Amino acid sequence: MSVASKSVSMTINGTAVGPFDVPESLMMIDFLHEYAGLTGSRLGCGQGICHACVAILDHEDGTSEEIRTCITGAIFFQGKKLRTVEGHAQRNQAGELTALSPIQQKFLEFYSFQCGYCTPGFVNAATVLLEKLKRQPIAGDQVEAVVTEALNDHICRCTGYVRYHQAVKDLIMTTPGLLKETAHGK
């Protein structure tokens, strides 16, 4: 008996990956860890509930979405572009870290994470939200609800929700272009 396999290749964090022959049943979280060498995405529940495993799937129209890699097969990503937590910070040509992304920096400033297991998922969720707000700014009185909705599906085993929420809210309030201008300022 043999395991059916398929060839898969994709772009991860701007780099072409593959082709690799992978078992058809291989989940993307395992592909990231075992084939791409990217271990930042966490396997939490393995059922798509906790969202520790989410990566960002980029669409051709410039939009993006979170996608749970523990319940999505690697083959689904054939020819697609995605980003993982490893792709957010800036690096120099030697691969050395030169700057965190704004959301990573804000999470540090707000001491948002405790054990850090859920942090990659929160970083990706916040990144998708900020990119959406750059395209579609919101009114200042919507920030609380929008942040809650964006982070609501993510589970933190240490219950650090408040600091994640505060960090994202602060970043939205202090980043130009994410809020609609009103007749009275912001």
Side-chain angles (χ1 to χ4, degrees):
M1 182 174 166
S2 66
V3 176
S5 64
K6 283 193 171 183
S7 179
V8 64
S9 58
M10 63 197 72
T11 301
I12 303 175
N13 300 326
T15 301
V17 175
F20 291 108
D21 285 329
V22 301
E24 288 183 347
S25 60
L26 183 72
M27 290 295 118
M28 188 58 182
I29 188 80
D30 296 319
F31 181 86
L32 290 171
H33 291 179
E34 302 300 327
Y35 290 81
L38 299 170
T39 57
S41 299
R42 302 290 187 220
L43 177 61
C45 66
Q47 300 175 348
I49 297 170
C50 74
H51 289 231
C53 68
V54 297
I56 299 173
L57 178 62
D58 290 319
H59 300 289
E60 293 297 321
D61 66 359
T63 62
S64 57
E65 66 177 306
E66 295 176 69
I67 193 153
R68 294 169 289 179
T69 61
C70 74
I71 60 169
T72 307
I75 293 170
F76 171 80
F77 293 91
Q78 168 59 34
K80 296 184 175 163
K81 295 178 181 176
L82 74 149
R83 289 177 279 160
T84 65
V85 71
E86 291 93 341
H88 297 302
Q90 295 177 4
R91 297 181 184 278
N92 62 21
Q93 291 187 349
E96 299 163 335
L97 182 71
T98 57
L100 296 174
S101 73
I103 193 63
Q104 289 170 319
Q105 184 61 47
K106 198 58 80 173
F107 281 173
L108 281 176
E109 291 170 13
F110 277 76
Y111 302 100
S112 298
F113 48 89
Q114 294 173 42
C115 80
Y117 202 83
C118 63
T119 304
F122 276 96
V123 168
N124 286 331
T127 299
V128 169
L129 174 61
L130 293 174
E131 291 172 353
K132 180 181 176 185
L133 296 180
K134 286 179 183 173
R135 294 187 306 274
Q136 301 169 330
I138 58 172
D141 63 355
Q142 295 176 298
V143 172
E144 195 77 32
V146 167
V147 172
T148 298
E149 181 182 332
L151 303 181
N152 196 42
D153 290 334
H154 290 260
I155 294 174
C156 172
R157 299 186 299 191
C158 308
T159 68
Y161 301 104
V162 172
R163 291 182 178 170
Y164 280 122
H165 190 281
Q166 291 172 333
V168 175
K169 181 180 174 185
D170 186 73
L171 187 58
I172 292 170
M173 300 299 283
T174 58
T175 302
L178 302 182
L179 299 177
K180 292 179 183 173
E181 295 288 331
T182 65
H184 306 290
K186 290 188 177 184

